[in-house]
């Protein structure tokens, strides 16, 4: 059973929503309806379902109805028509008390401008969701602290939000949402107010957190990059309607209509895709454990002419070639230190494809992908070309 | 011809009607007004007498300490309070000062107790706002003297009608600013509070009122200042205090006495204003 399931969910703002819905049935456009009836169509018959543990991104330009849609999911906005099920319970027909229960136990929301209470400390902010459920003070402080530590803000408990940077404030927003231990996280343009570097950092962190916490996440964004990075599946919205739902690759490769195609054609793949999207798992030898003999053996197994060398902590030390290793074995050299080469071509895992191209063109061996000196993958020439051509294995969304 | 048109309807007896209405209210509600007049009057006298019974030097010191801490440990307001209050004492106006202060204190407190809930109601309901706003406009633009007339009819003369008139005159800012303050709370914070499953009162007390506090305090500051000005006017219906000194100086054309009592009011106003404003500034 899906965790969130929307069926024909609609919202019309204005005095005569039923009439507007009828016009929609007859195929009138959003503009026509606004002109003739003065009603604004927010969301038009949106149907989708989100499975447990999935990051479902709703993407659209401003005015496409995505923010309205997310507010229909926790009924901050009353739907005009349609149903919305959370764990099989229909939210649309629920009385206020049950709605509060569902909001408290199952849904948490993270806001674009953080929505933090400025007069409360960071800890008190994170406690809010539990406080209103009358959870005893000690218990709720404990949970709030855990949530804050999870997002790396364990040391800021007694500061006020205004003393923190934007990125840190949104971490508080995230911690506040997590402190309730909800099933579903609703993130409304959660990272849009942050500058690009911090935004990327937060995206990575969300993905990191997600590997351990496995929440169901409904993520709203207007940024295609972000949608591609985060989404397991993406729903594209236009004028209040969902025009396509699919995995990032499906949307890039098989746009459902002209609108989607136009949307994604501007995506310069060489800028969107980064090293980590096209890297392969590295074959390595550990210089602290292995000698030339093992290295040679492994190169033979994998059919490689060279191999990267790391220490036990996976810090990249250099590379060795098959020729050198074979020479060393003949000379009975016991360790790899002596034949290690240091002129490694390496890139950070965030490096975009267009920058990798030059490096890999000049390099006789694969490019090493590193994160803080640790080897996390390798890139071979073919992978870059395949990715640029829009073909081949592209591991989008997997950091 | 044109004049005839204007005279087509004879004079509508609004004044007579109001008079009749006030008399009826006085009659019907005398069972209510009489005990209020008596008990509340006694209470006010008690407060005023208690304040007067405290040695002036202690009050001056208490005000100085309060001013010192509330103004963030700066000396300006502290020194001003000490010198100002001593000056009033020196001019033999201490008892009047205590009466005026009692009136301001009690009427401001009542204004706040009545005004804040009405402001909250207005912020929650468009209908309530539509009904109450014109009433507030009316209350504030009607010349303050007019309230003295029914006040006397209901409560006789003295402190109690002074409080009544002051309530009508001074409550609107608190109501308006409470309404404004709550409506100004950013929609995202209200949404945040709702999204976590807050009840209406949790939203009000944990988010809206704390967020609106600074605005509400600005309204309260205005209410207190208006209460002070009304309390002076209320001397015309026998409210005791510095205002009465001004009034009697006016009646005797005594510029000197009038000026001294007026300065006393100014000093009190400045101290009250600065103290309530600084209350607002504290986080």
């Amino acid at each position: 059973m899906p965790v969130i399931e929307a069926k024909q969910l609609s919202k019309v703002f204005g005095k005569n929503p039923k009439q507007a819905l009828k016009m929609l049935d007859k195929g009138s456009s959003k503009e026509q309806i606004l002109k003739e009836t003065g009603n604004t169509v927010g969301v038009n018959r949106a149907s989708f379902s989100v499975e447990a543990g999935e990051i479902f991104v709703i993407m659209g330009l401003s005015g496409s109805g995505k923010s309205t849609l997310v507010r229909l999911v926790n009924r901050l906005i009353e739907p005009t028509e349609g149903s919305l099920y959370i764990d099989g319970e229909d939210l649309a027909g629920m009385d206020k008390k049950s709605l509060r229960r569902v909001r408290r136990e199952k849904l948490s929301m993270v806001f674009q401008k953080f929505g933090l209470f400025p007069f409360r400390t960071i800890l008190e902010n994170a406690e809010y969701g539990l406080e209103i459920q009358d959870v005893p003070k000690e218990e709720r402080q404990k949970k709030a602290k855990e949530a804050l530590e999870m997002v790396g803000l364990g040391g800021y408990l007694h500061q006020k939000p205004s003393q923190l940077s934007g990125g840190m404030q949104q971490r508080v927003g995230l911690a506040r949402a997590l402190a309730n231990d909800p099933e579903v996280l609703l993130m409304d343009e959660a990272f849009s107010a942050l500058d690009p570097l911090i935004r990327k950092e937060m995206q990575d962190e969300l993905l990191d957190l997600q590997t351990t916490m496995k929440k169901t996440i409904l993520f709203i964004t207007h940024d295609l990059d972000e949608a591609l990075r985060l989404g397991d599946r993406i729903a594209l919205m236009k004028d209040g309607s969902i025009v396509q739902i699919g995995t990032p690759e499906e949307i890039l490769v098989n746009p459902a209509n002209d609108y989607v195609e136009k949307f994604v054609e501007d995506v310069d793949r060489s800028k969107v895709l980064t090293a980590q999207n096209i890297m392969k798992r590295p074959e390595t030898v550990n210089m602290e454990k292995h000698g030339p003999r093992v290295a040679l053996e492994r190169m033979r197994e994998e059919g490689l002419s060279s191999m990267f060398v790391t220490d036990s902590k996976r810090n990249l030390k250099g590379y060795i070639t098959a020729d050198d290793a074979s020479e060393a074995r003949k000379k009975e050299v016991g360790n790899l230190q002596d034949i290690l080469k240091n002129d490694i071509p390496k890139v950070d895992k965030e490096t975009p494809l267009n920058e990798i191209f030059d490096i890999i063109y000049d390099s006789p061996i694969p490019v090493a992908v590193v994160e803080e000196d640790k080897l996390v993958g390798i890139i071979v020439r073919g992978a870059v070309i395949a990715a640029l051509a829009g073909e081949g294995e592209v591991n989008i969304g997997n950091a | 011809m044109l004049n005839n048109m204007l005279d087509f309807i004879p004079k509508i007896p609004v004044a007579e009607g109001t008079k009749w209405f006030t008399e009826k209210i006085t009659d019907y509600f005398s069972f209510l007004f009489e005990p209020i007049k008596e008990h509340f009057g006694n209470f006010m006298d008690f407060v005023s007498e208690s304040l007067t019974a405290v040695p002036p030097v202690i009050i001056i010191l208490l005000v100085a300490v309060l001013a010192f801490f509330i103004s963030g440990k700066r000396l300006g307001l502290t020194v001003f309070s000490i010198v100002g209050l001593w000056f009033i004492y020196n001019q033999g106006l201490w008892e009047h000062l205590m009466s005026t202060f009692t009136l301001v204190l009690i009427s401001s407190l009542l204004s706040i107790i009545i005004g804040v809930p009405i402001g909250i109601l207005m912020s929650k309901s468009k209908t309530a706002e539509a009904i109450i706003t014109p009433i507030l406009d009316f209350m504030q633009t009607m010349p303050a003297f007019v309230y003295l007339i029914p006040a006397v009819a209901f409560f006789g003369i003295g402190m109690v009608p002074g409080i009544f008139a002051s309530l009508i005159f001074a409550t609107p800012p608190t109501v308006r600013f409470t309404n404004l303050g709550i409506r100004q709370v950013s929609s995202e914070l209200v949404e945040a509070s709702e999204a976590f499953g807050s009840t209406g009162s949790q939203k009000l007390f944990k988010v809206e009122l704390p967020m609106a506090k600074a605005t509400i305090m600005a309204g309260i500051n205005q209410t207190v200042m208006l209460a002070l000005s009304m309390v002076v006017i209320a001397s015309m219906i026998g409210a005791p205090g510095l205002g009465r000194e001004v009034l009697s100086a006016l009646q005797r054309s005594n510029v000197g006495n009038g000026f001294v009592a007026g300065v006393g009011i100014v000093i009190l106003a400045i101290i009250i204003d600065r103290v309530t404003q600084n209350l607002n500034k504290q986080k």
Side-chain angles (χ1 to χ4, degrees):
Chain A
M1 187 175 64
V3 177
I4 307 172
E5 189 174 15
K7 282 186 181 161
Q8 300 285 306
L9 205 54
S10 297
K11 175 66 191 180
V12 176
F13 298 98
K15 285 187 177 153
N16 200 347
K18 295 286 170 205
Q19 188 195 349
L21 283 179
K22 269 182 202 153
M23 290 179 68
L24 276 175
D25 284 338
K26 286 178 195 150
S28 305
S29 75
K30 199 176 159 176
E31 286 80 35
Q32 265 179 317
I33 292 172
L34 180 64
K35 223 177 191 177
E36 286 174 33
T37 69
N39 292 313
T40 308
V41 178
V43 173
N44 175 19
R45 309 267 153 74
S47 298
F48 63 91
S49 59
V50 186
E51 301 294 329
E54 188 180 24
I55 301 185
F56 189 87
V57 176
I58 295 176
M59 206 202 66
L61 300 175
S62 57
S64 62
K66 55 193 190 307
S67 284
T68 307
L69 183 55
V70 72
R71 280 164 177 74
L72 291 175
V73 172
N74 62 359
R75 235 180 87 181
L76 282 177
I77 295 177
E78 294 287 335
T80 310
E81 217 178 72
S83 358
L84 185 109
Y85 299 93
I86 302 287
D87 280 339
E89 279 183 287
D90 187 3
L91 220 65
M94 216 171 241
D95 61 62
K96 277 191 175 175
K97 211 176 152 197
S98 317
L99 177 63
R100 270 207 299 274
R101 175 181 54 77
V102 173
R103 283 175 176 175
R104 287 175 175 188
E105 290 171 4
K106 295 186 176 167
L107 305 168
S108 278
M109 192 159 173
V110 182
F111 293 85
Q112 179 171 10
K113 292 179 197 127
F114 322 136
L116 299 180
F117 306 121
F119 51 91
R120 289 174 158 245
T121 64
I122 300 309
L123 181 63
E124 285 165 351
N125 262 289
E127 271 176 63
Y128 185 83
L130 297 162
E131 185 183 320
I132 56 172
Q133 297 178 44
D134 295 324
V135 175
K137 189 157 189 164
E138 274 183 27
E139 194 187 332
R140 70 180 192 234
Q141 285 196 337
K142 189 171 149 266
K143 285 184 178 168
K145 274 181 197 161
E146 283 169 7
L148 285 166
E149 268 157 29
M150 220 168 10
V151 299
L153 284 180
Y156 296 87
L157 302 180
H158 302 295
Q159 312 258 33
K160 291 281 170 68
S162 57
Q163 291 168 286
L164 268 53
S165 68
M168 284 157 102
Q169 288 190 32
Q170 193 55 299
R171 282 164 204 258
V172 180
L174 191 57
R176 179 176 64 179
L178 292 174
N180 276 20
D181 196 23
E183 279 181 64
V184 177
L185 274 181
L186 304 174
M187 305 187 71
D188 179 26
E189 302 244 18
F191 303 150
S192 301
L194 306 174
D195 60 60
L197 279 176
I198 307 288
R199 191 186 311 166
K200 225 160 199 191
E201 200 181 303
M202 293 292 288
Q203 289 165 357
D204 287 341
E205 202 158 318
L206 181 68
L207 291 168
D208 273 355
L209 281 171
Q210 176 67 352
T211 55
T212 53
M213 64 186 188
K214 294 269 176 252
K215 301 280 180 204
T216 307
I217 300 177
L218 190 62
F219 196 101
I220 309 297
T221 182
H222 62 259
D223 176 358
L224 185 60
D225 268 348
E226 191 165 67
L228 294 173
R229 274 173 68 88
L230 295 177
D232 293 321
R233 284 189 302 147
I234 299 171
L236 257 140
M237 281 189 87
K238 188 202 174 196
D239 290 344
S241 309
I242 294 180
V243 287
Q244 184 174 13
I245 299 180
T247 64
E249 272 190 77
E250 279 167 13
I251 287 188
L252 278 179
V253 181
N254 286 320
N257 58 25
D258 290 352
Y259 176 74
V260 182
E261 198 173 338
K262 230 176 170 181
F263 212 114
V264 296
E265 82 180 358
D266 291 338
V267 179
D268 180 351
R269 285 165 165 273
S270 71
K271 278 184 190 156
V272 173
L273 301 177
T274 59
Q276 59 182 327
N277 293 129
I278 56 166
M279 70 193 186
K280 293 202 313 189
R281 207 174 58 82
E283 297 297 336
T284 61
V285 282
N286 181 343
M287 61 183 283
E288 287 171 19
K289 280 193 209 154
H290 306 138
R293 195 176 292 267
V294 177
L296 206 56
E297 190 57 37
R298 297 201 52 189
M299 277 187 262
R300 187 174 300 146
E301 263 171 40
E302 304 291 336
L304 301 169
S305 61
S306 64
M307 191 169 253
F308 287 111
V309 178
T310 65
D311 63 13
S312 293
K313 288 173 183 162
R314 294 192 73 78
N315 286 315
L316 182 60
K317 289 297 177 190
Y319 71 94
I320 50 170
T321 63
D323 292 348
D324 289 347
S326 144
E327 195 78 3
R329 200 181 66 171
K330 277 181 202 152
K331 288 182 186 163
E332 304 278 321
V333 176
N335 64 41
L336 294 171
Q337 189 70 51
D338 300 337
I339 56 167
L340 205 57
K341 287 190 171 151
N342 287 320
D343 55 335
I344 330 160
K346 58 181 175 183
V347 294
D348 190 79
K349 67 173 189 159
E350 302 291 346
T351 312
L353 234 71
N354 56 355
E355 287 173 29
I356 299 170
F357 203 74
D358 288 340
I359 300 170
I360 207 157
Y361 186 75
D362 295 333
S363 167
I365 62 165
V367 172
V369 182
V370 294
E371 184 182 22
E372 287 165 1
D373 283 341
K374 287 192 170 51
L375 182 67
V376 291
I378 59 169
I379 298 173
V380 295
R381 209 177 288 182
V384 180
I385 295 162
L388 281 178
E391 292 162 4
E393 290 279 302
V394 176
N395 23 332
I396 290 165
N398 309 324
Chain B
M1 177 62 191
L2 280 173
N3 278 337
N4 283 346
M5 266 178 74
L6 289 177
D7 290 336
F8 181 69
I9 296 173
K11 184 185 172 195
I12 303 167
V14 176
E16 288 78 2
T18 310
K19 184 160 175 271
W20 175 83
F21 183 68
T22 311
E23 275 165 8
K24 285 292 166 202
I25 287 192
T26 316
D27 281 354
Y28 283 130
F29 290 98
S30 63
F31 72 94
L32 201 66
F33 294 149
E34 286 302 319
I36 289 178
K37 186 168 127 190
E38 194 183 325
H39 295 299
F40 196 60
N42 288 342
F43 170 70
M44 302 274 305
D45 287 341
F46 170 74
V47 174
S48 176
E49 277 160 22
S50 307
L51 280 173
T52 317
V54 179
V57 69
I58 290 185
I59 291 189
I60 294 178
L61 282 178
L62 282 178
V63 172
V65 169
L66 179 75
F68 180 67
F69 283 105
I70 232 164
S71 63
K73 303 193 179 176
R74 264 170 298 176
L75 281 177
L77 183 60
T78 316
V79 173
F80 178 84
S81 304
I82 294 172
V83 174
L85 292 176
W86 170 81
F87 173 77
I88 295 174
Y89 174 78
N90 174 270
Q91 296 298 309
L93 296 172
W94 188 259
E95 257 181 62
H96 300 299
L97 176 71
M98 288 303 111
S99 299
T100 301
F101 181 67
T102 308
L103 277 161
V104 172
L105 183 73
I106 304 284
S107 69
S108 304
L109 282 178
L110 285 175
S111 285
I112 294 164
I113 292 169
I114 295 169
V116 172
I118 295 179
I120 292 171
L121 176 72
M122 269 174 89
S123 73
K124 295 290 168 191
S125 150
K126 274 187 185 163
T127 321
E129 193 185 31
I131 295 171
I132 295 171
T133 306
I135 299 179
L136 294 180
D137 295 341
F138 184 86
M139 282 162 74
Q140 277 190 300
T141 43
M142 177 69 84
F145 296 98
V146 178
Y147 297 131
L148 300 178
I149 307 165
V152 172
F154 296 158
F155 299 109
I157 57 166
M159 278 199 175
V160 179
I163 297 276
F164 173 81
S166 163
L167 267 188
I168 297 178
F169 188 62
T171 308
T174 296
V175 178
R176 280 186 210 276
F177 278 71
T178 304
N179 175 34
L180 179 73
I182 291 177
R183 283 181 186 271
Q184 272 178 344
V185 177
S186 89
S187 62
E188 205 174 59
L189 290 187
V190 176
E191 277 188 336
S193 144
E194 278 176 0
F196 282 97
S198 306
T199 60
S201 64
Q202 283 173 333
K203 188 172 73 175
L204 180 68
F205 287 107
K206 289 183 189 290
V207 178
E208 289 173 326
L209 284 181
M211 286 303 292
K213 195 179 129 218
T215 313
I216 296 175
M217 286 304 295
I220 287 176
N221 171 268
Q222 287 206 8
T223 288
V224 176
M225 300 319 287
L226 284 183
L228 178 62
S229 75
M230 192 62 198
V231 153
V232 173
I233 295 170
S235 64
M236 293 170 71
I237 51 169
L242 294 167
R244 187 187 280 175
E245 291 305 294
V246 176
L247 188 68
S248 72
L250 176 71
Q251 281 157 350
R252 290 173 208 149
S253 291
N254 188 332
V255 179
N257 284 352
F259 178 73
V260 170
V263 168
I265 290 168
V266 171
I267 291 168
L268 179 62
I270 290 177
I271 296 174
I272 292 179
D273 179 58
R274 293 298 182 273
V275 167
T276 48
Q277 270 189 25
N278 279 306
L279 269 181
N280 195 3
K281 275 178 206 152
Q282 294 195 330
K283 37 157 197 144

mmCIF file with all atom_site columns, all heavy atoms in Angstrom, chain A residues 315-326:
data_model
loop_
_atom_site.group_PDB
_atom_site.id
_atom_site.type_symbol
_atom_site.label_atom_id
_atom_site.label_alt_id
_atom_site.label_comp_id
_atom_site.label_asym_id
_atom_site.label_entity_id
_atom_site.label_seq_id
_atom_site.pdbx_PDB_ins_code
_atom_site.Cartn_x
_atom_site.Cartn_y
_atom_site.Cartn_z
_atom_site.occupancy
_atom_site.B_iso_or_equiv
_atom_site.pdbx_formal_charge
_atom_site.auth_seq_id
_atom_site.auth_comp_id
_atom_site.auth_asym_id
_atom_site.auth_atom_id
_atom_site.pdbx_PDB_model_num
ATOM 1  N N   . ASN A 1 315 ? 42.472 6.069  1.493   1.00 0.00 ? 315 ASN A N   1
ATOM 2  C CA  . ASN A 1 315 ? 43.084 7.285  0.979   1.00 0.00 ? 315 ASN A CA  1
ATOM 3  C C   . ASN A 1 315 ? 43.891 6.929  -0.264  1.00 0.00 ? 315 ASN A C   1
ATOM 4  O O   . ASN A 1 315 ? 44.668 5.979  -0.269  1.00 0.00 ? 315 ASN A O   1
ATOM 5  C CB  . ASN A 1 315 ? 44.017 7.905  2.026   1.00 0.00 ? 315 ASN A CB  1
ATOM 6  C CG  . ASN A 1 315 ? 43.226 8.562  3.127   1.00 0.00 ? 315 ASN A CG  1
ATOM 7  O OD1 . ASN A 1 315 ? 42.262 9.275  2.873   1.00 0.00 ? 315 ASN A OD1 1
ATOM 8  N ND2 . ASN A 1 315 ? 43.619 8.286  4.363   1.00 0.00 ? 315 ASN A ND2 1
ATOM 9  N N   . LEU A 1 316 ? 43.696 7.721  -1.299  1.00 0.00 ? 316 LEU A N   1
ATOM 10 C CA  . LEU A 1 316 ? 44.353 7.446  -2.565  1.00 0.00 ? 316 LEU A CA  1
ATOM 11 C C   . LEU A 1 316 ? 45.843 7.759  -2.475  1.00 0.00 ? 316 LEU A C   1
ATOM 12 O O   . LEU A 1 316 ? 46.238 8.856  -2.083  1.00 0.00 ? 316 LEU A O   1
ATOM 13 C CB  . LEU A 1 316 ? 43.703 8.296  -3.664  1.00 0.00 ? 316 LEU A CB  1
ATOM 14 C CG  . LEU A 1 316 ? 44.231 8.105  -5.079  1.00 0.00 ? 316 LEU A CG  1
ATOM 15 C CD1 . LEU A 1 316 ? 44.050 6.670  -5.538  1.00 0.00 ? 316 LEU A CD1 1
ATOM 16 C CD2 . LEU A 1 316 ? 43.530 9.069  -6.038  1.00 0.00 ? 316 LEU A CD2 1
ATOM 17 N N   . LYS A 1 317 ? 46.683 6.775  -2.812  1.00 0.00 ? 317 LYS A N   1
ATOM 18 C CA  . LYS A 1 317 ? 48.126 6.980  -2.703  1.00 0.00 ? 317 LYS A CA  1
ATOM 19 C C   . LYS A 1 317 ? 48.807 7.136  -4.054  1.00 0.00 ? 317 LYS A C   1
ATOM 20 O O   . LYS A 1 317 ? 49.842 7.770  -4.162  1.00 0.00 ? 317 LYS A O   1
ATOM 21 C CB  . LYS A 1 317 ? 48.760 5.787  -1.961  1.00 0.00 ? 317 LYS A CB  1
ATOM 22 C CG  . LYS A 1 317 ? 48.405 5.761  -0.483  1.00 0.00 ? 317 LYS A CG  1
ATOM 23 C CD  . LYS A 1 317 ? 48.951 6.999  0.210   1.00 0.00 ? 317 LYS A CD  1
ATOM 24 C CE  . LYS A 1 317 ? 48.536 7.032  1.671   1.00 0.00 ? 317 LYS A CE  1
ATOM 25 N NZ  . LYS A 1 317 ? 48.845 8.306  2.303   1.00 0.00 ? 317 LYS A NZ  1
ATOM 26 N N   . GLY A 1 318 ? 48.251 6.524  -5.084  1.00 0.00 ? 318 GLY A N   1
ATOM 27 C CA  . GLY A 1 318 ? 48.879 6.594  -6.397  1.00 0.00 ? 318 GLY A CA  1
ATOM 28 C C   . GLY A 1 318 ? 48.347 5.474  -7.267  1.00 0.00 ? 318 GLY A C   1
ATOM 29 O O   . GLY A 1 318 ? 47.286 4.919  -6.982  1.00 0.00 ? 318 GLY A O   1
ATOM 30 N N   . TYR A 1 319 ? 49.093 5.175  -8.336  1.00 0.00 ? 319 TYR A N   1
ATOM 31 C CA  . TYR A 1 319 ? 48.673 4.020  -9.125  1.00 0.00 ? 319 TYR A CA  1
ATOM 32 C C   . TYR A 1 319 ? 49.899 3.242  -9.561  1.00 0.00 ? 319 TYR A C   1
ATOM 33 O O   . TYR A 1 319 ? 51.035 3.724  -9.499  1.00 0.00 ? 319 TYR A O   1
ATOM 34 C CB  . TYR A 1 319 ? 47.848 4.461  -10.336 1.00 0.00 ? 319 TYR A CB  1
ATOM 35 C CG  . TYR A 1 319 ? 48.609 5.154  -11.436 1.00 0.00 ? 319 TYR A CG  1
ATOM 36 C CD1 . TYR A 1 319 ? 49.094 4.422  -12.530 1.00 0.00 ? 319 TYR A CD1 1
ATOM 37 C CD2 . TYR A 1 319 ? 48.863 6.523  -11.384 1.00 0.00 ? 319 TYR A CD2 1
ATOM 38 C CE1 . TYR A 1 319 ? 49.801 5.059  -13.538 1.00 0.00 ? 319 TYR A CE1 1
ATOM 39 C CE2 . TYR A 1 319 ? 49.573 7.155  -12.382 1.00 0.00 ? 319 TYR A CE2 1
ATOM 40 C CZ  . TYR A 1 319 ? 50.040 6.423  -13.460 1.00 0.00 ? 319 TYR A CZ  1
ATOM 41 O OH  . TYR A 1 319 ? 50.738 7.038  -14.455 1.00 0.00 ? 319 TYR A OH  1
ATOM 42 N N   . ILE A 1 320 ? 49.676 2.015  -9.979  1.00 0.00 ? 320 ILE A N   1
ATOM 43 C CA  . ILE A 1 320 ? 50.776 1.204  -10.497 1.00 0.00 ? 320 ILE A CA  1
ATOM 44 C C   . ILE A 1 320 ? 50.352 0.666  -11.854 1.00 0.00 ? 320 ILE A C   1
ATOM 45 O O   . ILE A 1 320 ? 49.157 0.498  -12.123 1.00 0.00 ? 320 ILE A O   1
ATOM 46 C CB  . ILE A 1 320 ? 51.092 0.018  -9.564  1.00 0.00 ? 320 ILE A CB  1
ATOM 47 C CG1 . ILE A 1 320 ? 49.789 -0.742 -9.219  1.00 0.00 ? 320 ILE A CG1 1
ATOM 48 C CG2 . ILE A 1 320 ? 51.788 0.476  -8.301  1.00 0.00 ? 320 ILE A CG2 1
ATOM 49 C CD1 . ILE A 1 320 ? 50.034 -2.033 -8.514  1.00 0.00 ? 320 ILE A CD1 1
ATOM 50 N N   . THR A 1 321 ? 51.345 0.425  -12.716 1.00 0.00 ? 321 THR A N   1
ATOM 51 C CA  . THR A 1 321 ? 51.020 -0.178 -14.010 1.00 0.00 ? 321 THR A CA  1
ATOM 52 C C   . THR A 1 321 ? 51.380 -1.651 -13.960 1.00 0.00 ? 321 THR A C   1
ATOM 53 O O   . THR A 1 321 ? 52.182 -2.102 -13.129 1.00 0.00 ? 321 THR A O   1
ATOM 54 C CB  . THR A 1 321 ? 51.808 0.493  -15.138 1.00 0.00 ? 321 THR A CB  1
ATOM 55 O OG1 . THR A 1 321 ? 53.197 0.262  -14.907 1.00 0.00 ? 321 THR A OG1 1
ATOM 56 C CG2 . THR A 1 321 ? 51.528 1.979  -15.192 1.00 0.00 ? 321 THR A CG2 1
ATOM 57 N N   . ALA A 1 322 ? 50.802 -2.409 -14.861 1.00 0.00 ? 322 ALA A N   1
ATOM 58 C CA  . ALA A 1 322 ? 51.056 -3.846 -14.911 1.00 0.00 ? 322 ALA A CA  1
ATOM 59 C C   . ALA A 1 322 ? 52.535 -4.114 -15.219 1.00 0.00 ? 322 ALA A C   1
ATOM 60 O O   . ALA A 1 322 ? 53.154 -5.005 -14.621 1.00 0.00 ? 322 ALA A O   1
ATOM 61 C CB  . ALA A 1 322 ? 50.164 -4.496 -15.966 1.00 0.00 ? 322 ALA A CB  1
ATOM 62 N N   . ASP A 1 323 ? 53.104 -3.300 -16.121 1.00 0.00 ? 323 ASP A N   1
ATOM 63 C CA  . ASP A 1 323 ? 54.512 -3.475 -16.472 1.00 0.00 ? 323 ASP A CA  1
ATOM 64 C C   . ASP A 1 323 ? 55.416 -3.346 -15.258 1.00 0.00 ? 323 ASP A C   1
ATOM 65 O O   . ASP A 1 323 ? 56.263 -4.184 -14.982 1.00 0.00 ? 323 ASP A O   1
ATOM 66 C CB  . ASP A 1 323 ? 54.935 -2.425 -17.517 1.00 0.00 ? 323 ASP A CB  1
ATOM 67 C CG  . ASP A 1 323 ? 54.242 -2.675 -18.847 1.00 0.00 ? 323 ASP A CG  1
ATOM 68 O OD1 . ASP A 1 323 ? 53.649 -3.774 -18.991 1.00 0.00 ? 323 ASP A OD1 1
ATOM 69 O OD2 . ASP A 1 323 ? 54.278 -1.771 -19.694 1.00 0.00 ? 323 ASP A OD2 1
ATOM 70 N N   . ASP A 1 324 ? 55.207 -2.261 -14.506 1.00 0.00 ? 324 ASP A N   1
ATOM 71 C CA  . ASP A 1 324 ? 56.034 -2.031 -13.315 1.00 0.00 ? 324 ASP A CA  1
ATOM 72 C C   . ASP A 1 324 ? 55.880 -3.163 -12.310 1.00 0.00 ? 324 ASP A C   1
ATOM 73 O O   . ASP A 1 324 ? 56.839 -3.612 -11.689 1.00 0.00 ? 324 ASP A O   1
ATOM 74 C CB  . ASP A 1 324 ? 55.661 -0.712 -12.658 1.00 0.00 ? 324 ASP A CB  1
ATOM 75 C CG  . ASP A 1 324 ? 56.108 0.476  -13.497 1.00 0.00 ? 324 ASP A CG  1
ATOM 76 O OD1 . ASP A 1 324 ? 56.901 0.252  -14.431 1.00 0.00 ? 324 ASP A OD1 1
ATOM 77 O OD2 . ASP A 1 324 ? 55.641 1.600  -13.217 1.00 0.00 ? 324 ASP A OD2 1
ATOM 78 N N   . ALA A 1 325 ? 54.615 -3.591 -12.152 1.00 0.00 ? 325 ALA A N   1
ATOM 79 C CA  . ALA A 1 325 ? 54.353 -4.631 -11.161 1.00 0.00 ? 325 ALA A CA  1
ATOM 80 C C   . ALA A 1 325 ? 55.052 -5.933 -11.557 1.00 0.00 ? 325 ALA A C   1
ATOM 81 O O   . ALA A 1 325 ? 55.647 -6.627 -10.715 1.00 0.00 ? 325 ALA A O   1
ATOM 82 C CB  . ALA A 1 325 ? 52.847 -4.855 -11.036 1.00 0.00 ? 325 ALA A CB  1
ATOM 83 N N   . SER A 1 326 ? 55.010 -6.220 -12.826 1.00 0.00 ? 326 SER A N   1
ATOM 84 C CA  . SER A 1 326 ? 55.618 -7.460 -13.289 1.00 0.00 ? 326 SER A CA  1
ATOM 85 C C   . SER A 1 326 ? 57.138 -7.400 -13.126 1.00 0.00 ? 326 SER A C   1
ATOM 86 O O   . SER A 1 326 ? 57.787 -8.357 -12.684 1.00 0.00 ? 326 SER A O   1
ATOM 87 C CB  . SER A 1 326 ? 55.167 -7.678 -14.739 1.00 0.00 ? 326 SER A CB  1
ATOM 88 O OG  . SER A 1 326 ? 56.159 -8.231 -15.492 1.00 0.00 ? 326 SER A OG  1
#
